Amino acid sequence: MLKLYNTLTKKKEEFIPIDKKNNVVTLYTCGPTVYNYAHIGNMRAYIFMDTLRKVLKYNGYKLNHVLNVTDVGHLVSDADEGEDKMSKSAKEQHKSVYEIAKLYTDAFFNDIHKLNISDPEHIAKATDHIKDMENYVKKILENGYAYETSKGIYFDTSKLPSYGELSKVDIENQKAGARVDVDMEKKNPLDFALWIKAPKEHIMKWDSFLGLCYPGWHIECSAMSKKYLGEKFDIHTGGVDHIPIHHENEIAQSKGATGKNPANIWMHVEFLLINNGKMSKSLHNVYTLDDLEKKGIEPLAYRYFTYTSHYRNKLNFTWDGMESCRVSLDRLRELTLSHKNGSNDVDDAIVNEFRTRFLDAINDDLNMPVAISIVWELAKYDVKSNKIFNLIKEFDDILSLDLDREKENNRCEVLSDEVNQILEERKKAREKKDYALSDVLRDKLKEEGYIVKDTKDGQEIEKV
Ligand code: AMP
Ligand code: ZN
C-alpha cells in the first residue's frame, strides 16, 4: 500500500487515484522561474518530483504530469511586491527578457537531465497560456471572488472562509505582516493580485479585457493545471516555501473559479541548507550543479546525497558530506557490478524478501534513506548472483543513479582553478558579445591543453 504525507490533512494517507479504472495519476509540480541558473536546493525539489513519479510508476500507475515554467515576470517577493524578477535579470545581463527566459529554461532542462530526471508529460510555459489565465481570472470575477482596483484585479480573501487551510497557523502571522505595508485599495491585507495593469515601462504585457496587463504569479498554476488535468487532480507538489502564499492562493483561485480545492494531496519538499544556514548570494554559497562538476562531483552523486535524508526533513549540504556521497556512490556501483556475472544462485525467496522490504520503504512516503540502506545490504550480499544485479537495476529505475555504470566514467575530470577562471572570463566575454576576447581566451585554453566548443548549453571543453 502506497502512503503519502498530505500537507492539507497533516497525515500520511493511503494513495488512491481519482481515475482508479485506468490507473492514471494526475500530478502538477510548480516549476522554475527562469531568471537565473537553478541551484542545488532547487534541484532537491525536482529530484523529489522525479522520485515520486518513479515510485508511482513502480506501483503500476500511468502518469499525467504537468511541470510549469514561469517565464513571465513575477515579482521578487511572493506577495506582489518588489521588482519583476525577469526584467531585473534582463537589465543586469543586458539581454531581452525573452533571451533570459530561453537561456535559463535550456540550462534548467540540461541540469535536470544530468540528474536523470525524466521530463513530465506536459511542460507548460506560462507565456504560452496567457489566454487561459485571462479566462480563469474572468471566471473568478464572474463568481464574485475578485474586484478591480486601479492596479488590477485582486482576489477577495474575505469571500473564502476556508482561506489559509493549507498553512493554518501561519495565516495570522501573515496577516500581521501584510498589514505593515498595506495597499489601501485592497479590501483585506491578504488579498492578492490576479491580473495586473501593466505600467508603461513594464516589458512583458498582453492585451486583455482590462487593457495591457500581465498575470499575477499564482494564476498560471491554476489555469494550466485545470487545462491539462481538469478541475480536480491527484497530487500537487512544490517546496515548503510555497505552502503559506503560493499554494494557499492557488487553492483560493480554484475555489473561486470551480468551487474545488484542485488537488487531493499536497506534497512539499523541505529545504536544502548549506552549512546549516540559508543559501544566499551575499554568503557566496549558492551552488549549481556546474559548481559541483567543477569540483569533480558528478550530478548523480548529488542525487545520491539527497537520498540521505527524508524529503520532509531539512538536508544540510557540506562539501565533506558531498564528497563522502561521491565515494559511496562509486563503491555502490562497484559492488553492484560485482554481481553482474555472478553465477551463484540465490533463492527466489531471498530476492522477493529484498523486493518487499524495498517496496515497503519507498511506499512509506518515499523513505529513501531506508530504501538506500536496503540496496547497500543487497549489494554487499556475499553470494555473487546475476539475480541480485538485476534486482538492483530494477531498484535503480527509481533511484536513477546509474548503478550499473562502469568505473571509468564515474569521476568527472577536476579542472584546475586557472582553467576554470579562463572559462568564466570567456563566458562573460561571450555574454558581452566580445568575440575578439573570447577567441584570445580560446587560444589560452588550447595552451592549457583544452579545446572549447560553444553549444546551446554553453561552453564544453575536451582534452586536446
Ligand atoms: P523557484 O524557481 O524559486 O520558484 O524555485 C523552484 C523550486 O525550488 C521550488 O519548488 C522551491 O520551493 C524550491 N526551492 C527553492 N530553494 C530551495 C532550497 N534551498 N531547498 C529546496 N528547495 C528549494
Ligand atoms: Zn505553482
Side-chain angles (χ1 to χ4, degrees):
M1 188 212 305
L2 172 59
K3 283 191 155 190
L4 300 174
Y5 183 86
N6 190 351
T7 309
L8 199 60
T9 57
K10 294 205 179 339
K11 277 201 274 273
K12 271 190 216 172
E13 294 172 2
E14 180 185 350
F15 177 68
I16 300 166
I18 297 167
D19 187 358
K20 254 197 301 195
K21 200 166 123 250
N22 295 307
N23 242 12
V24 176
V25 181
T26 39
L27 303 114
Y28 187 94
T29 297
C30 292
T33 309
V34 284
Y35 68 102
N36 208 337
Y37 291 109
H39 54 64
I40 54 174
N42 302 134
M43 287 301 139
R44 183 186 192 197
Y46 301 109
I47 292 170
F48 159 73
M49 162 192 99
D50 188 60
T51 309
L52 174 64
R53 279 178 63 84
K54 289 170 178 167
V55 166
L56 288 162
K57 275 195 161 177
Y58 194 81
N59 278 277
Y61 294 115
K62 288 173 243 149
L63 304 180
N64 186 12
H65 184 186
V66 180
L67 173 74
N68 70 300
V69 174
T70 304
D71 58 349
V72 33
H74 71 71
L75 306 181
V76 173
S77 130
D78 277 3
D80 305 326
E81 284 152 21
E83 226 180 316
D84 177 302
K85 286 184 185 177
M86 300 278 297
S87 307
K88 186 166 179 264
S89 178
K91 250 187 259 161
E92 282 165 5
Q93 298 187 39
H94 308 287
K95 286 190 162 73
S96 78
V97 278
Y98 296 95
E99 282 169 334
I100 289 288
K102 166 130 185 44
L103 173 70
Y104 294 116
T105 303
D106 290 350
F108 173 78
F109 284 101
N110 192 31
D111 274 358
I112 68 166
H113 295 154
K114 283 184 182 173
L115 290 163
N116 280 347
I117 294 173
S118 315
D119 283 348
E121 285 62 34
H122 304 277
I123 291 165
K125 285 188 188 173
T127 47
D128 291 338
H129 296 83
I130 301 292
K131 257 284 158 253
D132 300 299
M133 296 182 216
E134 184 185 349
N135 290 335
Y136 206 99
V137 173
K138 282 190 192 157
K139 188 83 198 146
I140 299 174
L141 261 175
E142 260 170 50
N143 292 349
Y145 284 90
Y147 57 91
E148 186 178 342
T149 76
S150 67
K151 296 205 182 88
I153 307 291
Y154 280 76
F155 190 92
D156 186 348
T157 51
S158 67
K159 290 274 167 67
L160 205 63
S162 63
Y163 185 77
E165 63 194 292
L166 192 65
S167 49
K168 295 177 183 94
V169 287
D170 284 341
I171 222 74
E172 285 308 315
N173 275 341
Q174 273 192 56
K175 273 190 193 162
R179 267 187 218 109
V180 176
D181 182 23
V182 88
D183 168 354
M184 294 310 285
E185 283 187 86
K186 285 206 303 194
K187 291 188 182 169
N188 313 284
L190 294 184
D191 291 356
F192 57 91
L194 296 170
W195 201 246
I196 305 165
K197 295 175 190 168
K200 244 202 208 114
E201 68 282 3
H202 197 89
I203 305 166
M204 294 177 111
K205 53 193 166 195
W206 291 265
D207 202 14
S208 75
F209 70 102
L210 206 64
L212 283 174
C213 287
Y214 65 99
W217 107 263
H218 316 291
I219 200 72
E220 67 180 84
C221 293
S222 295
M224 296 194 285
S225 63
K226 177 166 170 282
K227 176 168 182 165
Y228 295 103
L229 307 175
E231 290 181 1
K232 188 96 194 171
F233 52 93
D234 290 304
I235 306 173
H236 196 310
T237 82
V240 286
D241 55 326
H242 288 155
I243 300 173
I245 300 181
H246 181 53
H247 286 171
E248 210 66 90
N249 291 352
E250 268 191 54
I251 293 174
Q253 290 167 162
S254 292
K255 288 200 166 171
T258 71
K260 296 175 187 150
N261 180 320
N264 276 338
I265 301 190
W266 290 80
M267 296 179 77
H268 295 97
V269 55
E270 250 297 351
F271 261 42
L272 179 84
L273 304 179
I274 308 269
N275 296 322
N276 278 315
K278 256 193 107 166
M279 256 186 275
S280 101
K281 276 195 183 149
S282 59
L283 294 170
H284 304 288
N285 66 3
V286 181
Y287 303 124
T288 61
L289 275 192
D290 205 39
D291 295 325
L292 265 53
E293 284 182 282
K294 281 179 185 157
K295 287 191 183 268
I297 290 163
E298 60 160 313
L300 294 184
Y302 177 69
R303 185 163 182 145
Y304 180 103
F305 178 83
T306 66
Y307 294 151
T308 59
S309 169
H310 189 269
Y311 77 88
R312 284 195 286 120
N313 292 332
K314 291 190 175 67
L315 172 61
N316 185 36
F317 180 91
T318 61
W319 286 107
D320 285 350
M322 185 63 254
E323 175 60 15
S324 89
C325 283
R326 187 193 68 71
V327 173
S328 295
L329 178 57
D330 274 2
R331 179 77 187 125
L332 190 55
R333 284 178 178 148
E334 256 169 45
L335 286 169
T336 301
L337 286 167
S338 71
H339 289 281
K340 190 172 179 177
N341 301 313
S343 53
N344 289 325
D345 208 8
V346 167
D347 208 72
D348 282 345
I350 292 178
V351 170
N352 287 335
E353 190 196 313
F354 272 108
R355 185 179 279 118
T356 306
R357 284 174 58 206
F358 183 82
L359 187 66
D360 285 349
I362 58 169
N363 280 0
D364 179 17
D365 191 33
L366 276 57
N367 196 335
M368 302 315 285
V370 172
I372 277 282
S373 73
I374 293 164
V375 177
W376 271 102
E377 210 184 305
L378 185 58
K380 284 183 180 166
Y381 201 75
D382 49 9
V383 176
K384 299 293 169 200
S385 162
N386 187 258
K387 279 189 195 168
I388 291 184
F389 177 74
N390 286 333
L391 187 60
I392 295 179
K393 272 184 52 168
E394 179 185 314
F395 295 165
D396 201 31
D397 287 345
I398 296 172
L399 302 171
S400 306
L401 296 170
D402 292 357
L403 290 176
D404 59 344
R405 197 203 286 169
E406 305 282 342
K407 177 102 180 154
E408 298 81 85
N409 305 327
N410 282 356
R411 183 157 185 145
C412 323
E413 192 192 354
V414 185
L415 299 175
S416 71
D417 285 350
E418 195 173 354
V419 170
N420 276 326
Q421 199 182 336
I422 303 172
L423 278 171
E424 198 52 41
E425 279 172 29
R426 190 166 177 274
K427 188 173 145 208
K428 284 191 187 134
R430 295 186 65 78
E431 279 167 5
K432 288 188 198 140
K433 301 202 172 10
D434 186 348
Y435 297 114
L437 177 60
S438 157
D439 287 347
V440 170
L441 294 168
R442 175 197 296 271
D443 293 343
K444 236 175 154 180
L445 283 167
K446 208 164 176 188
E447 282 164 26
E448 296 286 330
Y450 294 96
I451 291 183
V452 63
K453 280 189 221 148
D454 298 301
T455 72
K456 68 174 180 26
D457 300 321
Q459 305 181 93
E460 278 178 12
I461 67 167
E462 269 173 28
K463 272 241 178 246
V464 181

